[in-house]
Amino acid sequence: MNVVLGPLEKDGRIPPHQQTRIASFLVSAHAAQARQLATAMPLRIRYAWQLELHSQYCRELEIISLLTRSTTWVPDPQLFFLMWQWEMAWQPQPVHAAGDHHEALLVDMAALGHAVHAGIRPAALLPESVDPTDPFVVAMRRIEFESGRLIQAQILFLKGPQLVAVRDDVAAAVERRHAQVRELWTAMLKGMNVGIE
Amino acid sequence: MPWLESRSRRINYELTGPDDGPACILVNGLTQYIKLWMPFRDGLVARGFRVVSYDMLGQGQSDKPRLFIDQSDQVEVLRALIDTMGPRPIFVGGISFGGVIALRYAIEHPDTIAGLVPMSSFAEIPPQLMRLGVAMRTALVLGGTKYLQDLLFPMNFSNAWLEAKADIIDLATYRGWLINDVYALQNLMESFLEFEPLTAKLSSIKVPTFIMTGEFDFLTPRPLQDSLRTHIPDSAMVIIPRAYHAFTLEKAELAAYLMARFAEDVMAGRFQGKKSVWIGPEEVGGELTPFPEGFDHLRSIPVRIKAPEPAIQREPAAS
């Protein structure tokens, strides 16, 4: 099993079927983030921290747009099943120990965001010999780089003073979401003969 | 490569050298991983030591806690590793962040080791180091691991080294980026930015302690190492000529020679710390020279230490 994507096309690009599978996974995960953020955001921003939610919502949309435009898409029949599996996994899993239902959903949303931004490192899968000017490659690097910034909102919230009393429950929720995202990500890669374990 | 379980977390570690040799356990600094100890480790192995190197919790291939890393977890990992070594003389060496963990270990478990070697380390975070730490954290958060590494290279190494190794720096940066995760490094950095100063507890370190500092280390400058020397009773400090912060990489053979020599002196009952200050040799096998008496070792220019003012004799108060 390979530890990076490939073998590369003759022109040094990632094979289109790998681009399609990876981009589909990322679109699914980031679209789930965008949907949840859109739901969590009020119509009118009243508090400073809500600006952070809005900013993150916009960045998630940017990532989705970038993926749809930089990927060389090819038909992939397996995606019907895979997309269903991924979308089911992103369904809310409220962390009831965190407080009321709204707070419980927020903690889960942040936990999932932490897992998506920290646990998925698409640029680490790029072979050294890849064409660095290929838009898909640039997009993978951009998404990984942006994830390091985007995760700050989740870190601030999950480590914040309002959740100190339920720190263990929050940590467990984050671990659960990480395990789930990692399982789906590695299974998707394994389906393309790429192993990161 | 063996794995250690500590508080349900997996630690990646490596054992090298003769089974029955005295042990040296090496604790790495920020963004480091096992392989970076190789030349230092080989220097110790060549002198008959059993060497344990490992990826600190949150780094390399060891587990990376998602939200919180407590320094107590790092100390616990070190304790678990030391437990695996059985009864033999054990020396703990740590560089930078790793030195802090080694100091904490020596404070909390004073009877389990034969000697301590803090390298480019510190027991408190004064304003300069705090601002540097905050800036490095911001660099990591806004610019990612690669940007942090770009900042750390000139802080850690000399011009000569950077020039000589120019062709491998990109590869080293790539490997460091690949093996580290932003969130885990961030957790690690935050655990240090929030830590309680150890200075007041240093006097409880009873084991012989050999403090190593680079002549040109401006990341953790000499006064930070000197604070260790003045507080730890059985200590000596050696200034490594022309060395910067990461001398275990740039001058690995020399640093390993000095650590081995210290350990041999301790085992032979020859080590006498006396809070002394020494100048290290330029080459492996060279001798240590006492810092010239009467001069201030904390200055970069030769400044004589002022003689203490004679005490004023007071007349007995009239009754």
Side-chain angles (χ1 to χ4, degrees):
Chain A
M1 197 170 285
N2 300 324
V3 291
V4 290
L5 296 171
L8 298 175
E9 303 280 278
K10 281 180 186 161
D11 57 2
R13 294 175 183 228
I14 303 292
H17 73 278
Q18 292 187 345
Q19 290 193 33
T20 300
R21 195 68 70 84
I22 285 176
S24 301
F25 183 94
L26 293 173
V27 166
S28 173
H30 288 281
Q33 286 287 291
R35 281 196 305 273
Q36 293 185 5
L37 285 161
T39 314
M41 253 187 321
L43 285 175
R44 182 156 177 270
I45 290 176
R46 293 180 187 280
Y47 303 103
W49 63 267
Q50 291 169 336
L51 285 168
E52 199 58 46
L53 287 184
H54 182 263
S55 167
Q56 185 153 8
Y57 169 70
C58 295
R59 303 304 277 278
E60 297 291 2
L61 293 182
E62 184 192 347
I63 288 175
I64 296 161
S65 174
L66 187 63
L67 282 164
T68 53
R69 286 164 173 76
S70 62
T71 303
T72 304
W73 297 97
V74 289
D76 182 349
Q78 284 190 43
L79 278 179
F80 290 106
F81 168 72
L82 290 171
M83 288 291 275
W84 173 81
Q85 190 187 17
W86 299 334
E87 291 299 325
M88 291 306 287
W90 314 144
Q91 292 295 312
Q93 298 168 16
V95 181
H96 293 295
D100 62 22
H101 189 64
H102 182 67
E103 190 89 343
L105 282 171
L106 275 180
V107 171
D108 177 57
M109 184 179 82
L112 178 59
H114 194 287
V116 168
H117 294 128
I120 300 174
R121 293 188 58 185
L125 296 169
L126 299 170
E128 285 183 62
S129 54
V130 75
D131 174 6
T133 63
D134 176 10
F136 181 76
V137 169
V138 177
M140 291 300 105
R141 293 196 166 130
R142 175 74 65 87
I143 290 167
E144 184 165 324
F145 179 73
E146 289 297 342
S147 287
R149 296 183 182 193
L150 286 172
I151 200 175
Q152 296 308 313
Q154 279 100 35
I155 290 175
L156 281 175
F157 176 67
L158 293 166
K159 287 182 167 183
Q162 74 280 10
L163 295 176
V164 167
V166 288
R167 176 174 152 161
D168 290 346
D169 297 287
V170 169
V174 173
E175 286 296 337
R176 263 199 314 276
R177 281 301 199 179
H178 265 267
Q180 185 184 39
V181 167
R182 186 165 183 83
E183 190 183 336
L184 293 171
W185 176 243
T186 50
M188 182 274 293
L189 292 173
K190 204 172 164 190
M192 301 188 300
N193 205 30
V194 176
I196 56 169
E197 290 292 349
Chain B
M1 198 168 280
W3 292 88
L4 176 85
E5 284 273 332
S6 170
R7 291 184 180 170
S8 4
R9 285 171 179 148
R10 285 188 356 135
I11 301 298
N12 176 38
Y13 75 107
E14 200 171 81
L15 286 162
T16 330
D19 277 346
D20 56 349
C24 287
I25 301 188
L26 308 175
V27 193
N28 54 254
L30 184 70
T31 74
Q32 284 194 328
Y33 49 96
I34 284 183
K35 290 249 178 298
L36 297 181
W37 281 112
M38 274 171 66
F40 187 93
R41 178 201 71 191
D42 293 347
L44 291 169
V45 169
R47 293 178 76 107
F49 288 91
R50 178 78 161 159
V51 180
V52 184
S53 46
Y54 70 102
D55 289 327
M56 193 186 266
L57 194 60
Q59 294 207 130
Q61 293 183 58
S62 290
D63 272 0
K64 294 167 181 164
R66 313 295 183 193
L67 288 180
F68 304 97
I69 299 182
D70 287 331
Q71 280 195 6
S72 62
D73 293 336
Q74 305 283 13
V75 174
E76 182 56 27
V77 167
L78 187 50
R79 191 199 61 74
L81 276 170
I82 286 172
D83 278 356
T84 66
M85 299 311 295
R88 68 173 94 193
I90 293 171
F91 297 86
V92 176
I95 183 155
S96 199
F97 277 17
V100 178
I101 300 303
L103 286 165
R104 275 196 65 155
Y105 180 85
I107 290 166
E108 293 173 24
H109 306 280
D111 303 322
T112 56
I113 54 175
L116 178 68
V117 184
M119 297 176 267
S120 306
S121 194
F122 51 94
E124 63 219 61
I125 304 195
Q128 275 184 334
L129 187 58
M130 174 58 82
R131 288 194 173 270
L132 272 171
V134 169
M136 284 195 278
R137 181 188 170 281
T138 306
L140 176 71
V141 166
L142 295 181
T145 312
K146 189 180 175 307
Y147 185 44
L148 175 66
Q149 288 174 302
D150 286 346
L151 270 180
L152 288 174
F153 270 110
M155 287 184 187
N156 278 318
F157 300 102
S158 67
N159 277 324
W161 190 91
L162 291 170
E163 203 165 67
K165 304 286 183 184
D167 55 333
I168 61 154
I169 287 177
D170 280 352
L171 181 63
T173 305
Y174 173 73
R175 285 190 178 149
W177 166 81
L178 199 58
I179 206 162
N180 285 297
D181 288 277
V182 171
Y183 77 92
L185 285 180
Q186 187 177 342
N187 284 338
L188 204 54
M189 290 174 87
E190 285 169 0
S191 78
F192 280 86
L193 289 173
E194 292 158 7
F195 96 119
E196 291 286 318
L198 299 173
T199 314
K201 298 175 183 167
L202 292 176
S203 59
S204 64
I205 297 178
K206 302 300 179 204
V207 292
T209 301
F210 192 56
I211 301 150
M212 289 163 66
T213 179
E215 181 185 358
F216 298 136
D217 182 358
F218 58 88
L219 185 56
T220 51
R222 205 169 307 153
L224 286 170
Q225 332 288 323
D226 203 51
S227 172
L228 307 181
R229 178 187 69 87
T230 54
H231 289 87
I232 299 174
D234 191 10
S235 68
M237 180 170 81
V238 61
I239 302 164
I240 302 180
R242 302 174 215 279
Y244 285 72
H245 187 69
F247 55 76
T248 55
L249 286 163
E250 180 165 354
K251 293 179 178 288
E253 293 82 6
L254 178 62
Y257 160 71
L258 290 170
M259 181 169 177
R261 195 179 141 145
F262 159 70
E264 287 158 4
D265 283 349
V266 170
M267 288 186 291
R270 289 190 299 263
F271 179 79
Q272 293 189 327
K274 296 182 178 171
K275 300 186 178 179
S276 51
V277 182
W278 301 80
I279 298 170
E282 299 263 1
E283 302 291 341
V284 171
E287 284 304 312
L288 278 78
T289 315
F291 196 86
E293 203 172 334
F295 287 92
D296 186 350
H297 63 277
L298 296 180
R299 299 293 300 267
S300 297
I301 50 177
V303 176
R304 287 195 179 276
I305 297 170
K306 283 183 187 166
E309 298 278 331
I312 298 166
Q313 202 73 39
R314 282 175 158 266
E315 292 289 325
S319 54

